[in-house]
Amino acid sequence: MNEQVARNVVLVRSIEYADVAHTVLSDDDRMYATRSARELAAWQAADSHIAVNQHHFLQQRAEQILKRLGERTPAFGAFARRAPGMSGIWIALPFLAFLLGAALDRIADPHRVDLLSAPLLAIVGWNLFVYLGLLVWAIVPAARRGKSGVPLLRRLSVGKAVAPRKLPTALAEGVAHYLADWAVLSEPLTRARLARTF
């Protein structure tokens, strides 16, 4: 089960637990999602020549329920389709680097190398700052596990942890439970990603 499927399953589980009065998802909706997910999982397994497993069923059921909720509540549909984590920064970073490089090229003299030029000093200063940060990160391992890293981990795991405003009460509670649950469940994965990066 990949990360996106796991997110969808945890989101559906949180919504179903919060919706005890069946105001958001009726019994018919739940039975329809279960029946169609069972059929889709069997069809997918037969097409792939593998046995039906629980992962296929949970994936199909979560997709069916999220699709139904997204049709009924467009604000929730936008929330369910959003990209996890801080994905916008990875799109903006190359453009920012290009603009910064073009601006620094215009500021500096292209025909002369000046060792005290502002762009060169900025690059050297940035490299020293990064090396110092990596050295502190390696020397002080307790700082990595401290309380200061928890908000960053939560932000990297869940993204902007704000539920849409115009949701029914049970759906809003389900989304709030999902954000809390997913932050806890995905913390080991986020820590592994950070450890691999640093």
Side-chain angles (χ1 to χ4, degrees), residues 68-86:
R68 177 71 53 107
L69 290 174
E71 291 169 353
R72 290 183 185 161
T73 311
F76 176 77
F79 173 79
R81 285 187 304 271
R82 75 184 174 99
M86 296 189 303

Side-chain angles (χ1 to χ4, degrees), residues 177-190:
H177 287 299
Y178 158 73
L179 292 173
D181 290 346
W182 186 253
V184 171
L185 291 171
S186 67
E187 184 177 339
L189 177 62
T190 305

Side-chain angles (χ1 to χ4, degrees), residues 40 48 62 105 112 124 133 152 173 180:
L40 287 171
S48 301
D105 186 46
R112 190 179 84 172
V124 170
L152 176 63
E173 289 175 8

